[in-house]
Amino acid sequence: MMNKQLIKLGLAVGMMGVVGSATAATVTSITSAECQAMSSVGVMSTSAPVQCQRLKKVTFKYRDFSGRSHSNGQIIVMDAVAPYVGKIFDELYQVGFPIHKAVPIEKYRGDDTKSMTDNNTSAFNYRPVEGTSSLSLHAYGAAIDLNPVQNPFVTFPRAGQAKYSPIEGTKYANREIYRYGKPDRKGMAETVVGIFARNGFLYWGGFWNSPIDYQHFQLSKDMAVMMSQMSAQQATLFFKHYVEWYNSCSRMYPKAYSQYKFNDYTNYLKHKLGVSSLNKAYQANPAKVMAQIEQVPLRSEICVKR
């Protein structure tokens, strides 16, 4: 069983933020040489929905599992989310959350299995969802995998069976952090759900039924597709409002948000526009969608699910 109290604690930490925190992470553009290196190993492709000019490299400090500090953590994400990803890793550092390592996945030639086995925290990778032909949110730079060994990807190939990837992750099938007579667990994603949520990554794979992806934080697919179609400036404005909506609503309705009974900014926009898909609405009429995004939302309208 997952430790629900610790998940809620993680949400509470994320809602409050870290007092006196300052952004230490740096955000830089992908150079031509870096883009070529990504393309040469299949991490980037001309078919990718987000090209190098819409990606950013976030360099950050992190603590390893021995408590040592490192300043060379790197992760590649979509431009609009990059400043918030920097804040995520700043906060993880400040609260002492350990990370084994974080290098761009081209170091593994785009091989997600090798990256997971090496317990590498990563983001952008032009690839499909495991076992499908559908593009992963990693292909949009809109998903982050955190400490894959401590937070494995779990599938259920047959009734009564579970498969853990990486295989070392079977040691973390028991999701309790504190266990009688045993050392406390470190690096477990459920303790930092709130830090990711308050910076726009509301969707955690640990909430899923099958598969369960404890390492995985992402935007919604509808958001990611729309943001990939937008200009960088439009996507940045949209995501800014998305993050502000969550933080404003979570302050107004702390109990509902601690129980994950909330609507996010995309629900608000779809309600106001009368649509079921933002990316389809944007394709049909970009000006109409942007006009709604540019308005100041009345957050009390539908912060909470009824």
Side-chain angles (χ1 to χ4, degrees), residues 54-109:
R54 287 292 311 276
L55 293 174
K56 297 290 185 182
K57 179 170 63 178
V58 181
T59 303
F60 55 90
K61 294 173 68 175
Y62 68 94
R63 303 181 197 277
D64 65 24
F65 281 80
S66 297
R68 293 186 297 266
S69 179
H70 303 262
S71 60
N72 61 347
Q74 291 188 339
I75 200 163
I76 294 174
V77 293
M78 186 190 292
D79 49 13
V81 307
Y84 300 93
V85 171
K87 291 178 183 179
I88 287 171
F89 285 99
D90 285 346
E91 292 190 35
L92 294 182
Y93 181 82
Q94 291 166 28
V95 301
F97 182 88
I99 294 172
H100 178 70
K101 69 184 302 184
V103 298
I105 204 165
E106 56 262 30
K107 304 296 183 182
Y108 304 90
R109 304 189 67 82

Side-chain angles (χ1 to χ4, degrees), residues 138-152:
H138 290 283
Y140 293 84
I144 298 170
D145 286 346
L146 180 70
N147 287 343
V149 169
Q150 286 74 26
N151 304 292

Side-chain angles (χ1 to χ4, degrees), residues 193-212:
V193 169
I195 290 176
F196 278 82
R198 73 181 293 271
N199 288 290
F201 285 74
L202 275 62
Y203 295 86
W204 177 46
F207 292 143
W208 304 344
N209 290 329
S210 178
I212 304 173

Side-chain angles (χ1 to χ4, degrees), residues 87-133:
K87 291 178 183 179
I88 287 171
F89 285 99
D90 285 346
E91 292 190 35
L92 294 182
Y93 181 82
Q94 291 166 28
V95 301
F97 182 88
I99 294 172
H100 178 70
K101 69 184 302 184
V103 298
I105 204 165
E106 56 262 30
K107 304 296 183 182
Y108 304 90
R109 304 189 67 82
D111 190 322
D112 189 50
T113 298
K114 289 182 179 178
S115 179
M116 287 195 297
T117 300
D118 202 26
N119 206 12
N120 181 53
T121 293
S122 66
F124 179 81
N125 189 8
Y126 177 61
R127 64 173 178 83
V129 175
E130 180 70 24
T132 76
S133 59

